């Protein structure tokens, strides 16, 4: 599991196991003391009882997680809270690299170094010192070009191959070279990454740098390293072992790591004899989602695995209730197998017919609604109503409706006049002005 530590001595294993066992029952207090404190690994650093040490070794498979480092990629190393991986670029340069090696040795810290082929060619002894000290050695191109994001892929491959060839040539045992590569200046490109991944080489970015390649003071390097680590809580720290400011800042960084309860993790590649540390995909995220944090978008529907693969039968014609008059359109073979029973009668045509000139037709147009309303009111007025107003009201309303309605409503004038007005009443001629006034 991720939490298991690779410790050399049996006594340390006993202390770690006991701390975890008691921590489950005492709220994790003893567990934190045993695993998180520098005293837990002091026994692995003879002569340096206050050393920070290396808490555990993490074995990774480059094929399973080919890109790591949240400065550029989604995934990073599966570290627990307050775990740090130290990485150094651009060496070896004897003047400063040897001092970095001594500082790490005094603290029994194991780190990862990304070597430039030109440096290995000029100082092969420096590469052998890294391997002898137990550090992980990867590569960082041949000449450290800052144009790998736009150079031709053939030239990029030459840079990659040169760094690997000269670094492995400097080693007594070339199999000690880890399949880890960091692109110079982090100037990534899809073509370069795909080339590396196709060769089984893991592409390393970082989670935070200390800006030690800039012209800043060693105090500023120390401050940036601690501030950015505290902001992340864990991760891969990017440093350079060819800078004087890094040599001056490194002891203070290590001192603060111990004071704040951070632990060092050593990363090595998986081999046939050394399988990868078991992990889950979510552990490769810097801050995995939790139940208390709402997701930003709805997750994709998973692919379910059904225990039964039987399919439901297709519906038959009987289920469709096809009418008899439609059956001749069906194939003869289908008709022979059909057992259709009509359950509902066919509706008559007059069910959907609307008489011309009816109130429904007039109400279907916006301009004729008032005229239609008056026409309906006139139809309800008793024929025996006294006065000429009652006798002539319906014809006038019908006449007004005919002029106010569209063309299709004008056809209803004669029907409406005959059905609503008395036979003896003759419609009076109506002026256009009064018709418009009544329609309003």
């Amino acid at each position: 599991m991720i939490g298991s530590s690779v410790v050399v001595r049996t006594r340390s294993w006993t202390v770690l196991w006991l701390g975890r066992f008691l921590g489950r029952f005492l709220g994790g207090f003893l567990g934190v003391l045993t695993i998180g404190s520098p005293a837990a690994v002091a026994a692995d650093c003879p002569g340096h009882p206050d050393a920070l040490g290396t808490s555990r070794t993490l074995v990774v498979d480059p094929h399973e997680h080919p890109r790591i480092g949240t400065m550029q990629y989604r995934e990073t190393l599966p570290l627990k809270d307050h775990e740090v991986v130290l990485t150094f670029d651009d060496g070896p340069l004897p003047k400063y690299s040897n001092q970095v090696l001594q500082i790490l040795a005094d603290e029994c810290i194991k780190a990862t170094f990304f070597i430039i082929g030109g440096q290995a060619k000029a100082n092969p002894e420096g590469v052998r010192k890294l391997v002898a000290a137990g550090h992980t050695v990867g590569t960082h191109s041949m000449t450290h070009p800052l144009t790998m994001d736009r150079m031709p892929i053939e030239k990029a491959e030459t840079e990659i191959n040169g760094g690997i060839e000269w670094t492995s040539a400097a080693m007594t045992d070339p199999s000690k070279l880890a399949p880890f590569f960091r692109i110079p200046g982090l100037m990534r490109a899809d073509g370069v990454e795909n080339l590396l991944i196709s060769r089984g080489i893991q592409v390393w970015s970082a989670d935070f740098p200390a800006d030690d390649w800039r012209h800043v003071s060693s105090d500023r390097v120390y401050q940036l390293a601690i501030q950015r680590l505290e902001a992340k809580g864990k991760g891969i720290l990017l440093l350079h072992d060819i800078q004087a400011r890094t040599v001056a800042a490194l002891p203070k960084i290590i001192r603060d790591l111990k004071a704040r309860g951070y632990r060092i993790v050593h990363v090595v590649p998986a081999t046939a004899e050394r399988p990868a540390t078991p992990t889950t995909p979510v552990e490769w995220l810097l801050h995995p989602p939790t139940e208390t944090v709402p997701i930003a978008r709805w997750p994709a529907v998973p692919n379910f695995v059904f225990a039964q693969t039987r399919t439901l039968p297709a519906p038959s014609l009987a289920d469709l209730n096809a009418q008899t008059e439609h059956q001749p359109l069906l194939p003869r073979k289908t008709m022979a197998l059909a057992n259709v029973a009509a359950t509902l009668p066919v509706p008559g045509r007059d069910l959907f017919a609307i008489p011309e000139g009816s109130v429904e037709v007039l109400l279907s147009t916006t301009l004729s609604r008032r005229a239609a309303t008056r026409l309906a009111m006139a139809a309800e007025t008793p024929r025996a109503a006294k006065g000429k107003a009652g006798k002539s009201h319906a014809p006038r309303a019908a006449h007004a409706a005919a002029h106010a309605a569209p063309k299709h409503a004008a056809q209803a004038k004669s029907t409406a006049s005959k059905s609503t007005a008395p036979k003896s009443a003759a419609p009076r001629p109506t002026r256009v002005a009064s018709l418009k006034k009544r329609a309003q």
Side-chain angles (χ1 to χ4, degrees):
M1 295 178 62
I2 292 299
S4 60
S5 302
V6 177
V7 185
V8 177
R9 299 190 177 185
T10 307
R11 183 177 64 179
S12 299
W13 269 111
T14 304
V15 174
L16 286 171
W17 178 86
L18 181 60
R20 288 173 183 161
F21 178 78
L22 293 177
R24 295 177 182 176
F25 299 96
L26 300 177
F29 177 72
L30 291 179
V32 173
L33 267 179
T34 307
I35 301 176
S37 66
V41 290
D44 302 322
C45 196
H48 300 276
D50 297 329
L52 176 58
T54 301
S55 64
R56 68 185 180 104
T57 299
L58 177 66
V59 185
V60 299
D61 187 349
H63 295 89
E64 294 181 356
H65 300 274
R67 299 178 179 89
I68 57 172
T70 54
M71 285 184 67
Q72 294 175 298
Y73 308 119
R74 178 174 177 268
E75 292 187 335
T76 188
L77 292 173
L79 303 176
K80 287 189 171 184
D81 186 47
H82 276 64
E83 287 189 335
V84 185
V85 174
L86 298 182
T87 64
F88 296 88
D89 289 5
D90 297 354
L93 189 64
K95 182 178 181 180
Y96 301 117
S97 298
N98 290 338
Q99 296 181 63
V100 169
L101 273 178
Q102 188 60 51
I103 294 172
L104 297 178
D106 291 342
E107 296 289 341
C108 289
I109 292 175
K110 297 295 185 289
T112 300
F113 289 81
F114 292 94
I115 305 301
I116 294 179
Q119 301 280 55
K121 181 180 179 180
N123 183 32
E125 182 62 25
V127 177
R128 288 191 284 270
K129 285 183 179 180
L130 293 173
V131 177
H135 299 289
T136 299
V137 177
T139 55
H140 197 41
S141 80
M142 182 64 189
T143 63
H144 198 279
L146 296 177
T147 57
M148 290 193 75
D149 58 333
R150 55 186 183 274
M151 67 171 52
I153 193 63
E154 295 79 13
K155 186 176 180 181
E157 187 173 13
T158 301
E159 283 286 341
I160 295 170
N161 292 339
I164 293 175
E165 291 172 3
W166 282 104
T167 303
S168 59
M171 297 179 174
T172 305
D173 183 5
S175 65
K176 297 294 184 179
L177 180 63
F180 299 161
F181 185 89
R182 179 173 278 159
I183 300 175
L186 302 182
M187 307 300 290
R188 62 163 301 276
D190 291 338
V192 176
E193 293 173 359
N194 293 336
L195 175 63
L196 292 165
I197 294 170
S198 66
R199 296 170 57 175
I201 300 175
Q202 191 174 48
V203 184
W204 280 54
S205 181
D207 292 316
F208 52 94
D211 293 1
D212 57 341
W213 67 87
R214 296 169 51 202
H215 296 289
V216 297
S217 66
S218 60
D219 284 338
R220 185 57 178 161
V221 173
Y222 151 73
Q223 292 170 2
L224 289 175
I226 297 301
Q227 289 174 4
R228 292 170 177 175
L229 174 57
E230 286 284 271
K232 296 274 188 177
K234 59 180 178 180
I236 305 169
L237 173 60
L238 171 58
L239 296 168
H240 296 76
D241 60 322
I242 63 169
Q243 301 289 345
R245 62 182 67 92
T246 307
V247 174
L250 188 57
K252 293 186 288 186
I253 293 175
I254 294 175
R255 180 197 63 201
D256 255 26
L257 293 180
K258 287 190 288 186
R260 296 170 187 263
Y262 284 92
R263 303 178 298 278
I264 300 298
V265 175
H266 183 208
V267 184
V268 298
T271 61
E273 298 78 18
R274 182 176 53 195
T277 303
T279 60
T280 59
V282 72
E283 291 178 284
W284 291 79
L285 304 177
L286 184 65
H287 297 295
T290 63
E291 293 182 355
T292 59
V293 179
I295 59 176
R297 58 184 177 85
W298 197 259
V301 178
N303 294 325
F304 294 100
V305 178
F306 295 95
Q308 297 181 356
T309 58
R310 293 184 304 171
T311 58
L312 296 175
S316 62
L317 290 175
D319 299 325
L320 303 178
N321 292 330
Q323 300 300 328
T324 307
E325 57 269 24
H326 298 158
Q327 293 181 8
L329 302 176
L330 300 174
R332 294 182 179 179
K333 184 177 180 181
T334 305
M335 284 295 302
L337 300 176
N339 183 17
V340 180
T343 57
L344 294 176
V346 179
R349 292 179 177 271
D350 56 348
L351 181 63
F352 305 100
I354 300 178
E356 292 293 336
S358 63
V359 177
E360 290 81 0
V361 173
L362 295 175
L363 287 176
S364 64
T365 60
T366 305
L367 297 177
S368 304
R369 288 177 182 173
R370 289 191 177 183
T373 303
R374 292 177 181 177
L375 181 61
M377 292 174 61
E380 295 177 357
T381 303
R383 294 186 179 184
K386 295 181 181 181
K388 296 181 180 180
K391 295 181 180 180
S392 60
H393 181 75
R396 290 179 182 177
H399 197 194
H403 285 274
K407 294 181 179 180
H408 68 274
Q411 299 176 359
K413 181 181 67 174
S414 59
T415 306
S417 299
K418 293 179 182 180
S419 60
T420 58
K423 294 182 180 180
S424 60
R428 296 181 180 181
T430 307
R431 295 181 182 181
V432 176
S434 60
L435 179 61
K436 291 182 178 179
K437 184 176 181 180
R438 293 175 184 177
Q440 295 175 355

